[in-house]
Amino acid sequence: MRELRIRVLASVFVVAGVLSWAGARLWNSIGTLPSVPLAAPVVLALIAVVLLSTALSLRARLRAQRERRPGAKGVDPLMAARAVVFGQASALVAALVAGMYGGTGVFLLELLDIPARRDQAIYAGFSVLAGIGVIAAAIFLERVCKLPEDDDQNHQGAEPVA
């Protein structure tokens, strides 16, 4: 399984932001720009909380397993792999959504004198912050589930196990 690349997430964010900004300008010139929903930052924040709680739970269980505590509940490797895949997918979607709301928010900065647009710009800003929170929680989850590096020099040419 490949690690998340910050460069890829940043690229998705920037491309989505530029396209969203251009789309918002076009849509506003044609008619009415759709509003930024209040639920967007809330949903992204909930996903970040789920990812963070999963990472903290797995980290505690892995630590107890490494320390060989009596009654320590082990971590199923398949469950850890599923958690990492969920985190990676969430990070990619969050980068896309945060970029879209970021581009829309930048466009809305021109319309801050209108109270409804000012509220939408605030919601867009919180959506970007919540999206960054999802990305940070996903990266933390990935680091928690990462297998320790093999220090044995005899396996230099070996391929990593997925």
Side-chain angles (χ1 to χ4, degrees):
M1 188 177 306
R2 297 188 138 191
E3 284 187 27
L4 278 175
R5 303 267 188 231
I6 301 296
R7 193 173 337 139
V8 171
L9 295 174
S11 299
V12 168
F13 177 82
V14 169
V15 168
V18 169
L19 291 175
S20 178
W21 173 80
R25 287 185 61 89
L26 177 67
W27 201 322
N28 195 50
S29 68
I30 293 173
T32 306
L33 180 68
S35 64
V36 177
L38 175 61
V42 173
V43 169
L44 287 170
L46 285 174
I47 293 170
V49 167
V50 167
L51 288 170
L52 184 62
S53 63
T54 301
L56 292 173
S57 172
L58 286 174
R59 184 175 72 167
R61 290 172 61 187
L62 287 169
R63 182 177 295 143
Q65 189 176 1
R66 273 194 307 270
E67 294 172 357
R68 302 191 193 287
R69 291 185 195 154
K73 192 174 180 185
V75 176
D76 180 28
L78 188 57
M79 186 200 58
R82 287 179 181 157
V84 170
V85 169
F86 172 64
Q88 288 179 346
S90 297
L92 285 168
V93 169
L96 178 69
V97 170
M100 288 175 28
Y101 285 126
T104 304
V106 168
F107 171 74
L108 289 171
L109 290 177
E110 301 170 4
L111 307 170
L112 289 180
D113 54 333
I114 303 169
R117 296 299 186 190
R118 183 175 44 246
D119 291 344
Q120 291 176 6
I122 291 169
Y123 299 157
F126 282 136
S127 296
V128 171
L129 291 176
I132 292 170
V134 169
I135 292 169
I139 290 172
F140 178 62
L141 174 63
E142 186 178 60
R143 299 298 185 260
V144 164
C145 293
K146 186 175 180 181
L147 293 174
E149 296 295 325
D150 189 11
D151 293 331
D152 189 16
Q153 298 299 326
N154 296 331
H155 295 94
Q156 287 180 353
E159 299 248 342
V161 178

